[in-house]
Amino acid sequence: MPTRWRRIVIFILSLLPLVVLVVKAATNHLGADPQKAVVLFIGTWTFYFLLITLSVTPLKKLAKQGWLMAHRRMLGLFTLFYAVLHMISYFVFILGLDFSSFGAELVKRPYILLTIPAIILLIILGITSTKGMMRKLGKNWVKLHKGIYIVAVLAWVHVLLQVRSSYADAVLFGVLTLALLGIRIFWWQQKKSAQV
Amino acid sequence: MIINKLADIRTSEITPEHIYLARRDFMRGTIASGLLGAATLSSSNVFADSSYSAAENANKGPEWLNQKIAQAKADQQKLTESLTPYDSVTGHNNFYEFGYDKTDPAKKSQNFKPHPWQVEITGAVGKPGKYNLEDLLKGIDLEERVYRLRCVEAWSMVIPWVGFSLASLLKRFEPDSKAQYVSFVTLKDAKQFPEQKSVLSTIDWPYREGLRIDEAMHPLTILAVGLYGKTLPNQNGAPLRLVVPWKYGFKSIKSIVKIELSEHQPQTTWNQIAPAEYGFYANVNPTVDHPRWTQARERRLPSGLFSPNIIPTQMFNGYAEQVASLYKDQDLKKYY
Ligand code: HEM
């Protein structure tokens, strides 16, 4: 399949969670507490996209799926897209657009506060994801985009701090995040020792 | 194991006069405060009719219990707030023994067997023993109670329970002077409660809850065996659950197999998991936040996606007039 076709397929697939959500909302399938269901659904998919984006490089190196590299940018932008949507849904459905209480909420709730640097980082990465920016930033582009690792750690702590009755989500996201970051640390160590 | 049979005693014979009087005061008090209204369902209860028939259709309870429930006395002071429809009451539950999603209890409780059922009553009582539910309910008159239910997660419902006052039951077992607290335990049976096997759960099964004796004896505190005029669906805590309307929902323990009276404050599940988040008292209190969300407001379910039904939370869930006196010397910010 030519890259352009793949691009269209991945684009459509990436929109599917949103389509599912809209259909559920329209047909009253979000349960008795739809506001919360929306925030959790989109938050969960934000994390999935973050993990998918982080899988591209390991899949290239380990499974020889180099073609994915051409789609890394789009997957990253979908992570940003869902993160922003998750935040907006929090503003609309949990905060009730009462922005005057947002400051107080941030101060009192570390699990929300720590998503602010994450979302700012994601926005910066999104803005600098163009070819032009890549060229302009040169070597620094790679350094800057390592920021996604910080986003991943913050996102995981965000989920960990929400543990109530089950560690399932925290463990699922934790293991996957750890694996995807761990393999990079391993490569980095290898490279370092090769250089010595 | 000895299964005791209880003599057929009328509750009225064993309920001490002061509790009756307290209940009468409560009726007068609430009607005067304007919180509660007409004796019949008000027109704002748009879901009521369809919900009662939905309960009828879904009902799986045993005949003896349904008959008993059918004779339940109507709630004389029904809340004028709209009843939460049956679908929401039975489709949106926290019952972690069945799963962590709000829809898990409805989906995964189909094979749960609430009958036959036994309840053990032990500790500081004159007549300890293990009783069949049927014997336990002998001589007890059921009544409908329409209560607000406020979950600690900031959502709420209005539910027409069918049950009886916990005090009327406890009296029959002759609590002694050491009975300062009452603790409750949910069934532990990983065959019926799949999540009790989970290694990822934060909960040390079985689920436990407790009340101070004056809270347990308060006329608002009931044990429920039904809702919407039929036996309790499994996901709502069949066959026997506690309902303490001025406390967060997690206090109202489900599927009770053991009631123990004791001298010391018992360990309770959520307090054990996260003492900074869930106190032993867990009285509904809009001025004491949960660390991760405000308790000043609640989403009254069902809440539409774009027509959110967000209302201010009331002190003691709107039952301050009846229960505030229980805590008059207590710092509720400290003992939350
Ligand atoms: C990198 C970005 C983010 C990711 C990957 C993410 C992921 C998640 C996930 C997976 C959950 C569900 C946790 C669970 O149930 O186990 C969640 C919940 C939540 N997130 Fe995020 N999140 C992100 C950013 C944000 C931001 C920017 C905000 C708000 C400013 C936010 C606010 C919330 C809130 C309030 C909840 C809890 C909803 C509730 O239970 O009431 N998140 N998030």
Side-chain angles (χ1 to χ4, degrees):
Chain A
M1 203 174 2
T3 301
R4 213 159 64 105
W5 283 103
R6 281 206 196 110
R7 200 162 273 156
I8 294 169
V9 170
I10 293 177
F11 184 84
I12 292 172
L13 284 179
S14 301
L15 279 175
L16 269 186
L18 185 62
V19 173
V20 169
L21 186 68
V22 169
V23 170
K24 278 187 161 184
T27 56
N28 273 328
H29 278 83
L30 288 173
D33 197 358
Q35 275 101 2
K36 189 140 173 175
V38 167
V39 176
L40 292 181
F41 184 92
I42 304 178
T44 305
W45 276 98
T46 307
F47 216 133
Y48 289 154
F49 273 94
L50 186 59
L51 294 169
I52 292 169
T53 309
L54 282 171
S55 309
V56 170
T57 303
L59 282 174
K60 180 186 93 174
K61 291 200 187 175
L62 298 175
K64 306 270 176 297
Q65 300 297 319
W67 61 275
L68 276 166
M69 285 303 276
H71 307 288
R72 189 172 65 174
R73 173 167 183 242
M74 189 181 4
L75 292 169
L77 286 175
F78 266 108
T79 309
L80 170 64
F81 171 71
Y82 280 106
V84 169
L85 217 56
H86 174 56
M87 185 169 75
I88 292 174
S89 65
Y90 160 76
F91 285 140
V92 174
F93 296 128
I94 302 230
L95 219 51
L97 291 177
D98 175 13
F99 289 100
S100 57
S101 61
F102 184 50
E105 288 291 308
L106 280 184
V107 176
K108 280 190 274 186
R109 327 235 185 265
Y111 87 101
I112 298 179
L113 183 64
L114 62 78
T115 64
I116 301 303
I119 201 91
I120 292 173
L121 254 172
L122 276 176
I123 292 171
I124 293 173
L125 299 188
I127 293 171
T128 58
S129 67
T130 60
K131 280 228 169 69
M133 276 295 192
M134 255 172 131
R135 235 173 290 130
K136 216 159 142 192
L137 290 168
K139 254 197 194 151
N140 287 329
W141 188 90
V142 178
K143 271 193 202 151
L144 178 66
H145 280 248
K146 289 208 162 45
I148 194 73
Y149 307 150
I150 299 172
V151 174
V153 171
L154 289 172
W156 180 62
V157 178
H158 174 57
V159 172
L160 184 69
L161 288 175
Q162 294 180 53
V163 165
R164 279 178 16 99
S165 48
S166 166
Y167 294 107
D169 279 4
V171 169
L172 171 75
F173 290 127
V175 166
L176 294 173
T177 305
L178 205 72
L180 290 169
L181 297 188
I183 187 137
R184 288 170 165 87
I185 294 172
F186 174 73
W187 285 332
W188 177 70
Q189 292 263 340
Q190 263 191 338
K191 212 167 110 192
K192 230 174 56 176
S193 53
Q195 276 167 356
V196 171
Chain B
M1 153 178 36
I2 302 166
I3 309 291
N4 299 1
K5 282 245 186 276
L6 276 178
D8 187 2
I9 331 169
R10 307 284 312 167
T11 40
S12 53
E13 286 167 19
I14 51 168
T15 306
E17 195 176 31
H18 73 269
I19 288 182
Y20 267 132
L21 294 180
R23 173 126 177 93
R24 267 200 0 227
D25 282 351
F26 141 55
M27 291 175 192
R28 255 187 271 124
T30 44
I31 290 167
S33 78
L35 259 178
L36 306 170
T40 50
L41 286 172
S42 76
S43 56
S44 66
N45 277 319
V46 286
F47 301 115
D49 283 350
S50 58
S51 288
Y52 277 98
S53 48
E56 179 104 43
N57 294 334
N59 167 58
K60 290 192 208 139
E63 199 43 38
W64 68 267
L65 190 52
N66 277 326
Q67 272 178 17
K68 228 176 140 62
I69 289 172
Q71 291 158 10
K73 211 165 42 181
D75 190 337
Q76 293 303 305
Q77 323 89 61
K78 260 179 188 147
L79 289 173
T80 52
E81 290 159 41
S82 288
L83 297 180
T84 302
Y86 183 82
D87 284 355
S88 300
V89 172
T90 59
H92 187 90
N93 309 93
N94 280 328
F95 197 165
Y96 295 118
E97 283 83 344
F98 288 123
Y100 302 101
D101 198 85
K102 297 282 182 286
T103 56
D104 281 340
K107 285 186 215 146
K108 299 183 183 169
S109 63
Q110 296 310 314
N111 296 324
F112 185 76
K113 274 190 116 76
H115 300 282
W117 194 264
Q118 290 175 354
V119 182
E120 187 183 358
I121 301 188
T122 68
V125 288
K127 292 200 257 167
K130 206 165 188 178
Y131 301 91
N132 286 320
L133 183 64
E134 206 167 344
D135 297 325
L136 212 59
L137 293 184
K138 255 191 200 126
I140 283 185
D141 293 325
L142 299 180
E143 44 184 312
E144 183 167 60
R145 297 275 186 103
V146 181
Y147 282 161
R148 296 179 202 92
L149 176 105
R150 170 60 158 80
C151 178
V152 70
E153 297 167 343
W155 52 266
S156 65
M157 297 184 177
V158 177
I159 303 174
W161 302 106
V162 180
F164 52 96
S165 87
L166 174 62
S168 69
L169 183 84
L170 292 181
K171 292 281 163 192
R172 303 167 83 178
F173 298 93
E174 298 164 6
D176 61 36
S177 60
K178 285 211 185 88
Q180 297 300 309
Y181 291 90
V182 186
S183 64
F184 306 85
V185 183
T186 295
L187 175 72
K188 186 172 180 191
D189 179 0
K191 280 206 203 78
Q192 300 207 70
F193 285 144
E195 282 307 317
Q196 289 184 343
K197 286 194 290 265
S198 166
V199 290
L200 293 174
S201 169
T202 59
I203 299 171
D204 178 19
W205 310 105
Y207 193 84
R208 290 160 219 270
E209 259 312 330
L211 297 172
R212 217 167 54 191
I213 192 76
D214 57 341
E215 300 174 325
M217 292 295 183
H218 192 279
L220 282 180
T221 304
I222 61 166
L223 286 173
V225 292
L227 59 82
Y228 271 116
K230 290 288 162 189
T231 53
L232 279 178
N234 294 343
Q235 62 268 36
N236 294 88
L240 184 74
R241 66 167 294 168
L242 184 69
V243 181
V244 194
W246 72 92
K247 293 178 179 282
Y248 291 121
F250 69 85
K251 294 295 290 182
S252 293
I253 183 170
K254 303 185 176 92
S255 304
I256 298 168
V257 291
K258 188 172 166 188
I259 299 176
E260 182 168 359
L261 289 96
S262 62
E263 199 172 358
H264 303 289
Q265 184 176 310
Q267 280 280 11
T268 56
T269 295
W270 282 106
N271 186 236
Q272 221 171 342
I273 297 171
E277 298 174 26
Y278 314 100
F280 172 78
Y281 288 95
N283 292 318
V284 175
N285 186 343
T287 68
V288 177
D289 273 7
H290 182 280
R292 288 199 300 283
W293 56 85
T294 176
Q295 296 293 27
R297 295 180 296 271
E298 65 199 51
R299 295 185 299 286
R300 176 60 58 84
L301 305 188
S303 185
L305 194 50
F306 292 104
S307 50
N309 193 6
I310 297 175
I311 57 175
T313 290
Q314 305 179 66
M315 189 65 205
F316 294 115
N317 205 20
Y319 301 96
E321 201 151 339
Q322 297 91 295
V323 301
S325 61
L326 297 176
Y327 310 101
K328 56 180 183 296
D329 301 320
Q330 203 167 318
D331 178 358
L332 294 171
K333 288 212 156 52
K334 191 166 164 216
Y335 297 99
Y336 49 90

